[in-house]
DNA sequence: CTGTTAGCGCCTTCAT
DNA sequence: ATGAAGGCGCTAACAG
């Protein structure tokens, strides 16, 4: 069989000796067609090796059955999980996923969104970059393309969005530690332009206040540079007498653990340690870190659900979904090392 | 400003008082147009809020400037890294990425490939599922859409493909361990339908033969079920006197480490341990595992490069690229524990 | 340097 | 139950 251009509906129609519109209708099951005719068409499709051109179909219907996902960093395991969840949920609904990564860069993010919009995706899921352009969302609201915010949320709840219960999780974690007797914390809070991290920091202060501890006693390390945070923490750990260290994300945990190592401190013997998001297989390696686990996969799934619901009813009131994060307590916050810090 | 349908080239043309083809040409820079006219067009584009419809453009040019990527499991960190690499390299070249995941299921894989082909991607990158349908590749070869195989390669080198130097890395690793005096290994080899794992197993036997060791002394655990492998290994470790355990992938490492734990064996004190692909931040936790690191990101980048080259010259001879894997030696293969196993 | 026009492959109303 | 025909928005000859 020689090289031949891809068969179109015209070829199928000719082969089956029917009109092109009949072919279309058996393809889409969009109107009744006599069984005999249908079988002729089916056979013709088989014979010609016809494959539907989704492009032409989309152009005509002005609907692409595809969604776009822009994440801030496809490399981060947590985001990779979200991508996975989005992909799976989208595939289940017959939606194709267009993926872009902004690399935490506002410019690339802006361009990625443009690209996907130009491709006429039916909807967009967006985990914004840390320095995301504020106008981006405003512009997006003006579009007719539905948008769902993922992980990196927006105070103004005029958009569909799905994230974790960051503030409450941090509050509960710190309350637990305070209950163990910890009174001086060091928090690697990170880039407070990232809403997720801001929320976690808020939760921290919630717990501090609740426990009747002094904010001034706490060592809060904010900033975009992880190495700066590492340095400050290493310094702060020797000067102050923090008994517990909390990292607000996995990269921050890496920085914090390095700082601990530089200070010659071990966990939990010298200092308690807990992290958000966390590492894979935390039970398999020492130290076993207490971790607030982000339900990343489920967040991706939920984002697709919200998006599909929005596609179904464009004027419904926006939803803001918060998924619960489980706190997995492990060795690194065992209380036995604590008494040595007590007066 | 009221709700209005998306502006098209016609609107722009009318606004700028030029023909629609002029608009097209300023948009694509595809022929000279007087500066004055161009500016009128540009202004009209601005004013109408025109955005190019990539769908229509693609239909007309029969070229979508997009590529498809089908991975076997977007959840696995190694594949997530490949996805990241592919995305980045694609974006740099102005290609949009359509992502699908087969979940190691041949049926879903088949359907994912169909979907992407229907969307007329310019090329396809494929990390096949373990039980991938053999006909899939044959069918794909018949297509005009270029395909690059990623990670999961094909013996027949009639396709572009990029993977790691699995066989040689394993050989080198085992040679190193044999040089330390290890003579009885246990290998969690995994699903030998996966070419990557087969290659690694071959490399193992290469080294065994080279070192003059007896194949019959080696404990080789193959099979698709990780829990079976865990059980067999736990059993085998107590019966035989293996001094070194090797895991051929991260999931297999998890199974193997569990088996070690069940057997009450510690590494490196009781037994040496090494793994392929490995865990994140291996220096940060104990035990520090000797790891053959897969250059997953770079593999993704290379796959895009091959694909783009193929798009440029469709008849060139297929390339088979093998990327080097660095072996990171760590505590888990320190030799000091070995003498207790010697006669 | 610019305009006119014929499709790309498909869906869908309107006829029959 | 089936056909005919007009676009969807865009590119690329072909004309001027």
């Amino acid at each position: 069989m020689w090289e031949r251009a891809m068969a179109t509906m015209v070829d199928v129609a000719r082969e089956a000796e029917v009109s092109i519109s009949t072919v279309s209708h058996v393809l889409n099951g969009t109107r009744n067609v006599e069984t005999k005719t249908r079988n002729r068409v089916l056979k013709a499709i088989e014979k010609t090796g016809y494959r539907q051109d989704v492009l032409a179909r989309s152009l005509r219907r002005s609907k692409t059955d595809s969604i776009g996902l822009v994440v801030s960093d496809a490399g981060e395991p947590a985001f990779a999980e979200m991508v996975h969840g989005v992909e799976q949920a989208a595939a289940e609904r017959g939606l194709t996923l267009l993926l872009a990564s902004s690399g935490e860069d506002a410019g690339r993010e802006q361009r990625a969104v443009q690209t996907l919009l130009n491709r006429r995706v039916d909807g967009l899921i967006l985990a914004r970059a840390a320095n995301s352009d504020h106008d981006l969302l405003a512009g997006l609201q003006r579009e007719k393309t539905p948008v769902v915010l993922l992980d990196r949320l927006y105070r103004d709840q005029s958009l569909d969005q799905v994230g974790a219960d960051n503030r409450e999780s941090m509050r509960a974690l710190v309350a637990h530690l305070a209950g163990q007797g910890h009174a001086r914390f060091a928090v690697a809070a990170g880039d407070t332009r990232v809403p997720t991290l801001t929320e976690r920091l808020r939760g921290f202060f919630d717990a501090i206040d609740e426990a009747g501890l002094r904010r001034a006693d706490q060592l809060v390390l904010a900033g975009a540079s992880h190495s700066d945070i590492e340095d400050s923490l290493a310094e702060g750990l020797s000067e102050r007498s923090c008994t517990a260290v909390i990292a607000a994300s996995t990269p921050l945990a890496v920085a914090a653990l390095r700082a601990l190592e530089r200070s010659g401190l071990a966990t939990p013997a010298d200092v308690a340690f807990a992290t958000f998001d966390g590492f894979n297989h935390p039970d398999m390696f020492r130290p076993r870190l207490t971790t607030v686990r982000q339900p990343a996969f489920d967040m991706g799934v939920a984002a697709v659900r919200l998006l599909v619901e929005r596609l179904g009813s464009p004027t419904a009131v926006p939803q803001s979904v918060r998924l619960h994060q489980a706190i997995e307590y492990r060795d690194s916050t065992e209380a036995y090392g604590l008494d040595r810090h007590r007066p």
Side-chain angles (χ1 to χ4, degrees), chain A residues 62-107:
Chain A
S62 55
K63 186 158 173 305
T64 55
D65 297 320
S66 69
I67 65 175
L69 171 60
V70 181
V71 295
S72 53
D73 185 354
E76 271 301 312
F79 285 116
E81 269 306 305
M82 291 183 217
V83 171
H84 190 202
V86 168
E87 192 282 330
Q88 190 139 312
E92 272 172 15
R93 293 171 158 85
L95 298 169
T96 302
L97 176 63
L98 311 210
L99 175 67
S101 179
S102 67
E104 297 285 11
D105 176 69

Side-chain angles (χ1 to χ4, degrees), chain A residues 26 133 141 186 253 279:
Chain A
V26 335
D133 191 4
Q141 305 236 38
F279 301 86

Side-chain angles (χ1 to χ4, degrees), chain A residues 5 42 47 49 59 74 76 80 98 101 124 169 184 199 205 208 228 238 278 307:
Chain A
L42 259 19
K47 177 166 179 195
L59 176 60
E76 271 301 312
L98 311 210
S101 179
L124 211 49
S169 302
R184 290 169 161 271
E199 292 164 12
F205 286 122
I208 293 300
D228 283 357
S238 29
L307 189 50

Side-chain angles (χ1 to χ4, degrees), chain A residues 9-313:
Chain A
M9 280 179 39
V10 178
D11 301 313
V12 176
R14 185 177 323 135
E15 178 69 30
E17 300 184 289
V18 295
S19 84
I20 166 179
S21 80
T22 299
V23 177
S24 172
H25 282 121
V26 335
L27 238 41
N28 301 307
T30 179
R31 86 176 173 196
N32 258 348
V33 24
E34 214 178 352
T35 319
K36 232 170 95 175
T37 335
R38 134 169 303 121
N39 282 87
R40 275 219 314 287
V41 171
L42 259 19
K43 200 151 299 177
I45 288 177
E46 187 80 18
K47 177 166 179 195
T48 56
Y50 169 79
R51 210 142 3 90
Q52 189 168 48
D53 188 329
V54 178
L55 246 51
R57 178 184 159 89
S58 296
L59 176 60
R60 181 56 229 258
R61 307 192 346 167
S62 55
K63 186 158 173 305
T64 55
D65 297 320
S66 69
I67 65 175
L69 171 60
V70 181
V71 295
S72 53
D73 185 354
E76 271 301 312
F79 285 116
E81 269 306 305
M82 291 183 217
V83 171
H84 190 202
V86 168
E87 192 282 330
Q88 190 139 312
E92 272 172 15
R93 293 171 158 85
L95 298 169
T96 302
L97 176 63
L98 311 210
L99 175 67
S101 179
S102 67
E104 297 285 11
D105 176 69
R108 281 179 57 190
E109 177 174 62
Q110 179 70 263
R111 262 170 286 142
V113 168
Q114 274 300 331
T115 301
L116 296 181
L117 253 25
N118 287 351
R119 285 195 188 275
R120 299 294 189 264
V121 290
D122 292 343
L124 211 49
I125 298 177
L126 189 52
R128 291 179 302 151
N131 62 344
S132 176
D133 191 4
H134 185 275
D135 298 339
L136 178 65
L137 286 186
L140 239 25
Q141 305 236 38
R142 220 175 304 295
E143 300 280 340
K144 77 290 145 216
T145 308
V147 176
V148 173
L149 258 32
L150 177 59
D151 183 54
R152 313 279 181 93
L153 271 33
Y154 198 53
R155 34 189 175 353
D156 172 0
Q157 307 212 345
S158 57
L159 246 40
D160 290 301
Q161 37 188 28
V162 32
D165 62 344
N166 296 302
R167 185 166 179 170
E168 167 54 19
S169 302
M170 175 66 101
R171 193 207 56 75
L173 170 69
V174 175
H176 174 92
L177 294 174
Q180 289 182 330
H182 293 282
R184 290 169 161 271
F185 294 84
V187 187
D191 190 340
T192 46
R193 291 174 308 179
V194 176
T196 312
L197 298 180
T198 311
E199 292 164 12
R200 289 171 184 174
L201 185 53
R202 289 234 170 77
F204 174 74
F205 286 122
D206 288 348
I208 293 300
D209 294 346
E210 265 179 42
L213 299 174
R214 289 173 40 188
R215 290 195 178 201
D217 288 344
Q218 314 309 322
L219 180 58
V220 175
L221 283 347
S225 159
H226 291 166
S227 65
D228 283 357
I229 287 182
E230 180 186 331
D231 293 344
S232 310
L233 183 53
E235 208 173 322
L237 282 174
S238 29
E239 291 175 4
R240 306 218 195 176
S241 51
C242 303
T243 63
V245 175
I246 297 173
S249 76
T250 304
L252 290 165
V254 172
L257 288 171
R258 287 219 181 90
L260 284 191
E261 191 165 359
R262 280 167 51 180
S263 312
L265 264 28
T267 178
D270 302 318
V271 61
F273 189 93
T275 182
F276 275 69
D277 303 349
F279 301 86
N280 293 330
H281 309 290
D283 289 319
M284 210 142 264
F285 301 96
R286 306 304 124 86
R288 293 172 157 139
L289 299 184
T290 288
T291 302
V292 182
R293 186 64 63 178
Q294 195 174 33
F297 185 92
D298 293 333
M299 283 166 58
V301 172
V304 173
R305 182 170 58 71
L306 254 54
L307 189 50
V308 169
E309 287 179 18
R310 165 83 31 223
L311 290 171
S313 44

